[in-house]
Amino acid sequence: MRGIRSRPGKRAAAVLLSAALVAGLAACSNDPLAEQYRAGENKGFISGDGAVQEIPVEQRGEPVVFAATTETGDPVASEDYLGGVLVVNFWYAACGPCRAEAADLEQVYGAFEGEDVAFLGVNTIDSAAAAAAFAQTYGVTYPSAIASETPAIKLAFAEKTPIQATPTTLVLDAEGRVAARIIGQLPDPSILKTLVRETLAESS
């Protein structure tokens, strides 16, 4: 199935736990972790410099094949997205640059509504409840796979492309191959929009 934008049927446990966690995240109204990152204080985060790498079609190699569970308990798999563009963002809740780029990613996601483009987060360390709380606090409406529950998803991507920083954002083509990657915080929404449009145009 294509163009997954939201899935019904949230797990009751995740909803109840996330409600409690939202209060903790929301209490940091000025988001000190994101502010520390913007000020150059990485506080131990493994972060890149926003470098953008586009991969020519003939150099993309094999598709990334994965299966996982989202923060709402729904299954998600690479085959769900074949035929369109998939943006994959690796993140975790305590990551300052992840918080700083959340609104930009959501903006790009919304810009492609109705087109054959989907977004999927990959939360690398948190529980489903913590990921759900982050999504509610930062207004993220696309799903995230929870690597703590299905750790094989990290290996599936690492086998195909380096994941050396958090956050890292990948653009997958219609065959599920990595077409572009942004290492570190998204420098500007327009950059990701351009990468998505170019990749989308390949199959038009």
Side-chain angles (χ1 to χ4, degrees):
M1 60 191 141
R2 284 288 314 122
I4 298 175
R5 303 197 67 83
S6 63
R7 290 176 179 263
K10 291 187 177 181
R11 290 186 302 185
V15 171
L16 290 173
L17 285 172
S18 67
L21 288 166
V22 165
L25 286 172
C28 303
S29 57
N30 294 324
D31 203 346
L33 289 176
E35 292 303 323
Q36 287 168 2
Y37 177 75
R38 292 188 183 102
E41 302 170 21
N42 285 349
K43 300 297 183 185
F45 300 126
I46 302 172
S47 181
D49 57 3
V52 178
Q53 179 185 17
E54 296 186 69
I55 304 169
V57 174
E58 64 276 10
Q59 297 178 20
R60 289 179 189 171
E62 297 298 316
V64 181
V65 179
F66 64 87
T69 303
T70 71
E71 76 273 31
T72 60
D74 295 308
V76 64
S78 49
E79 62 186 25
D80 297 340
Y81 302 101
L82 295 178
V85 173
L86 173 63
V87 177
V88 180
N89 175 254
F90 290 81
W91 68 280
Y92 61 93
C95 162
C98 301
R99 294 182 176 195
E101 73 173 6
D104 288 342
L105 288 166
E106 181 65 23
Q107 178 188 332
V108 180
Y109 175 60
F112 288 97
E113 185 171 5
E115 300 188 55
D116 210 4
V117 176
F119 274 54
L120 177 68
V122 175
N123 183 287
T124 58
I125 62 174
D126 298 318
S127 67
F134 181 99
Q136 185 172 344
T137 299
Y138 291 93
V140 178
T141 60
Y142 55 85
S144 282
I146 306 302
S148 63
E149 296 184 0
T150 48
I153 190 170
K154 291 196 292 186
L155 179 60
F157 280 94
E159 287 177 339
K160 305 302 181 185
T161 189
I163 308 295
Q164 300 168 327
T166 304
T168 288
T169 301
L170 306 176
V171 179
L172 274 58
D173 65 16
E175 296 180 26
R177 303 172 301 176
V178 178
R181 63 180 182 143
I182 301 171
I183 306 167
Q185 183 184 345
L186 178 63
D188 189 271
S190 63
I191 293 174
L192 183 55
K193 288 178 184 177
T194 297
L195 293 173
V196 171
R197 288 194 188 101
E198 290 177 350
T199 307
L200 192 59
E202 294 173 359
S203 55
S204 63

